[in-house]
Amino acid sequence: MQHLSGLNKEQKEAALHTKGPLLILAGAGAGKTKTITHRIVNLIKEGVAPEKILAVTFTNKAAKEMRERIYAEIAKNAQEQNTVPFVATFHSLGVYIIKENARILGLTKYFTILDDNDTNSLIKESIKEIGLDPKQYEPRKIKNIISREKGKFTTMEKYQERMNDPISNESNYLGKVVSQVWTLYENKKSKENSLDFDDLLLKSVKLLKENEEVRKNYQEKWEYIHIDEYQDTNEAQYLMSKLLSEKSKNICVVGDADQNIYSWRGANLKNILNFEKDYPNAKIVMLEENYRSTQNILEAANEIIKKNQYRPDKNLFTKNKIGEKISLYEALDENDEAEFIATKILEIIDTNERKDVFKRTLGRSDGDGQREFSAENSRGEHKNIFPEVAILYRANFQSRALEEAMLRYNIPYQVLGVKFFERKEIKDTLAYLRTALNPESLSDIKRIINFPTRGIGKTTLIKLFSGEKENLPIKMQIKIQNFYETLNEIKERIHTMKASDVIKFTVKKSGIENELMAGTEEDMERLENIKELATLALKYDNLENGTGIEKLLEDASLASDQDSIMINTEKKEQKNGVKLMTVHASKGLEFQYVFITGLESGLFPHEKMGDTKSGEDSEEERRLFYVALTRAKEKLFLTFANFRTIFGSRQINAPSEFLSDIPADLLERGDENPGIKTIYI
């Protein structure tokens, strides 16, 4: 069993399990992706056809990593195979099922996937149509209610029944407004041949549940189901997993109840806690050996999480070194906190630089290994050796002071979570491509029909969308005709040219290139971003007959925060530097050095006005801190401020309760500012 070499006892036990349900409880850094990969390879070695295997995860980044690992292991250990397992995210799996059954659902295969902004615009229009003010009934709030209901696998019809039931406790005025808006919103999407992000799960799962023929087709297609991050599944994802594995019962789920941090997105902790009830004959394997962090970091993490009650009993351990103590810094305010972090990062860079010089000097016998050590180098200009450093915070507003400190000290940095595909110029370019394939996409037409400027205003659009094109002036009709001819030419190129060449053609033909080239320096930067899109499209050039652009549009629509990070960091100047992000965005990542900031009562753990969480929901903040701690491989820094300005108001803060839960012997004090008194020990 050479293909299982390198696995520990528990990982091997999971990999060798081939029949029936399997629950792998994998702690942070315990090698879960490695375990799933080897299990899939072992199934293939045991005679299971690769195309009979499905693996599902949450982000494109995670799916890409899993796909690459699986394909590499197959090439190494099962070379006779000429097919591969189907590896996807939940949402891309939903797209796949919907596209294969588009006719049943009343769609065409080129349906548009709406982004957040498009969804909000349609909901805003719907609010206005029922005679209400969008300022009073905020579109985003109504959108979130609809999204949450869809995640619970609630259809519009079911929601309306609840809201119209006079004896229902849920029936209220807002609910009835949402009900009316939802109806108009669905009608608008139907006319546009479009779906929103939540529809990708709701409609595919509804199809599986209600259409026996379709359900049997996919149950036979995939006999072995693997679900990653099972603790993050909502009701729709849970049902999709259950329906697909209903016949074979060969379902393997991997997860960690201690890392359930997305309840606000509908993630249901009960899905992983109740797995044994759903599958009574399930085998359970616990992965507790951590390969990422030092012993001190793990001991702190174990102490933090053991206070939670809604979790299987688990205790991470490691054979790694004991490591440095966790540094704790008590700052005066957020600016002092940021100053401390910046100077510590310079020390880390400096130490890293000196180690690199020393190693390269030892490696040379001609004495030429020495080089001048400069301030520029100490600030990370020597990009090949920039250490992995992350600054984590609970709320986005905390990044301001941190960014200012990075700029002040000339430390390269990147704020993660800024989406490449949400930039205006990228959305404009993609809108041309989407509309060329789906001329019914009114949201996209609105976006681009007058960009670049063609003199087509709102009044013209209203008449056009109302079917009154012939009532427009002849000159205006010609402008509109030219616009649609441009779309037809783009469509023709989509089906005959490589994806990257289609983007280059689209930018020229649409007039976007000329518009931006004649503009400001900022416009030139936007043009550079579009060129980056064309570069990104190179990986789709091997797909023929228009499927390259189709796949690019699909991936762009499904990109999450972490996926967009991966795209952003492809640029050389962004590969190196400190990463700033929320703790939520850090899940699944790891760094040599981690700073966890803002550890103050009310901020982390986070509290909102009127927040009355109870039961397992109240434990989520502790799980979030556990996730933050376990991102660090070598060194952890914890910081809090006695004063912090929030919404323009300077507040006095008590240290987070989490700090007193970490054993004192694991902590070392930072270089406190003189005159600051420790107020919690």
Side-chain angles (χ1 to χ4, degrees), residues 383 414 420 423 425 525-526 528-533 565-576:
K383 288 183 164 55
Q414 181 188 8
F420 178 79
R423 291 170 177 156
E425 60 275 14
E525 189 177 324
R526 286 176 176 160
E528 287 297 317
N529 287 333
I530 295 174
K531 289 179 181 177
E532 181 71 14
L533 179 65
I565 289 162
M566 178 181 64
I567 293 162
N568 283 340
T569 55
E570 284 178 359
K571 290 189 175 182
K572 287 181 183 177
E573 66 270 22
Q574 291 179 326
K575 268 188 180 177
N576 297 282

Side-chain angles (χ1 to χ4, degrees), residues 456-469 472:
I456 300 173
K458 288 183 180 179
T459 305
T460 302
L461 267 181
I462 291 168
K463 288 185 178 179
L464 177 64
F465 291 165
S466 302
E468 299 176 31
K469 180 184 170 185
L472 293 168

